Amino acid sequence: MGERLSAEVLADVQVLWDYNHMGHELRPCDVGIGLGSRDLGVATQAAELFHSGYFPLLVFSGANAPTTIDRFPRGEAVHYREHALSLGVPNDAVLVEPAAKHTGANIELSRALLESRGIPVRSVMLVSRPYQQRRAYAACRKVWPEVEVICASQDIGLVDYLAGIGDDARVINTIVADTQPIKVYGNQGHAMPQEMPAEVWSAYERLVQAGYDKRVIPNV
């Protein structure tokens, strides 16, 4: 875990955590899309949702990033698929999109894969890390506006999530980096704009100033 987080830092991270969780009520969708990352819990949750009947087909999307290649050398989506199969998801219920390197591409390339298979989609459930929900939602509403979008993640609180990952700095740098594009990309037209309360952006700025800026986009 490293050095214990200060109460001030933890409070600011909690603000971003809460903001990025969409709070959607889950209901059945045509397809689930598991967004690749370093967190194998995404694949676990996707498998649980499949077994609970929320979707009959699952797409795992993700190539590699510098932060994941050591953990998933064959690609995020490939390892996610293998994990889901180990949890009892049938082979023919899982598709792999192995090229996406960011959230927007996860959705664009998953859409293209489904269209290439002639699979009609009216609703999608995006399965992601808890703090990636809003970014994923904003990207999907921009690049795939005709589908209904439901966001899902593991039902876990921030403190327990940090403890489970075991690397506070890595997680906080990623939460900060996933919050920035919601504002930046919305302003640039790359994602559907999302309202961002002043207290959320203030928490983001304090975390950047505290040194959690390792993955933010510079000079924007």
Side-chain angles (χ1 to χ4, degrees):
M1 287 282 289
E3 186 176 346
R4 185 180 179 89
L5 296 176
S6 71
E8 292 79 12
V9 166
L10 189 59
D12 282 338
V13 178
Q14 186 71 59
V15 170
L16 300 193
W17 176 274
D18 293 342
Y19 171 71
N20 282 295
H21 195 282
M22 297 297 294
H24 287 164
E25 180 180 350
L26 302 188
R27 52 187 177 273
C29 293
D30 293 326
V31 64
I33 300 177
L35 306 184
S37 71
R38 191 178 173 85
D39 182 0
L40 196 60
V42 175
T44 300
Q45 182 67 16
E48 290 178 359
L49 291 166
F50 172 86
H51 287 307
S52 296
Y54 281 104
F55 40 76
L57 180 66
L58 178 57
V59 178
F60 285 123
S61 172
N64 270 130
T67 56
T68 64
I69 193 167
D70 61 325
R71 181 167 170 78
F72 302 132
R74 297 189 307 283
E76 298 158 6
V78 171
H79 284 267
Y80 273 24
R81 176 183 178 276
E82 292 171 353
H83 185 62
L85 295 183
S86 76
L87 296 175
V89 178
N91 180 68
D92 60 2
V94 186
L95 300 177
V96 168
E97 184 295 295
K101 294 186 177 182
H102 56 80
T103 303
N106 287 140
I107 296 161
E108 290 179 317
L109 296 178
S110 295
R111 176 185 184 176
L113 173 62
L114 292 162
E115 289 177 346
S116 73
R117 298 292 185 95
I119 299 170
V121 179
R122 294 163 296 179
S123 58
V124 299
M125 184 173 291
L126 302 179
V127 187
S128 70
R129 296 163 295 182
Y131 54 84
Q132 192 184 8
Q133 285 192 14
R134 189 174 293 274
R135 180 179 180 183
Y137 176 82
C140 191
R141 295 293 293 121
K142 178 68 177 183
V143 305
W144 206 354
E146 62 269 32
V147 298
E148 179 186 7
V149 184
I150 303 295
C151 294
S153 300
Q154 288 181 295
D155 184 12
I156 188 171
L158 171 61
V159 173
D160 288 340
Y161 186 85
L162 289 171
I165 297 297
D167 188 336
D168 293 350
R170 181 192 294 274
V171 173
I172 297 172
N173 275 297
T174 307
I175 293 174
V176 169
D178 270 13
T179 302
Q180 183 194 30
I182 295 169
K183 183 172 185 177
V184 173
Y185 291 171
N187 291 342
Q188 294 176 348
H190 301 312
M192 174 172 280
Q194 301 286 294
E195 181 181 354
M196 181 173 290
E199 60 267 24
V200 173
W201 193 246
S202 294
Y204 162 85
E205 290 182 322
R206 285 192 296 270
L207 289 168
V208 168
Q209 291 166 6
Y212 296 102
D213 60 350
K214 303 303 184 289
R215 299 184 63 193
V216 300
I217 307 165
N219 304 317
V220 294

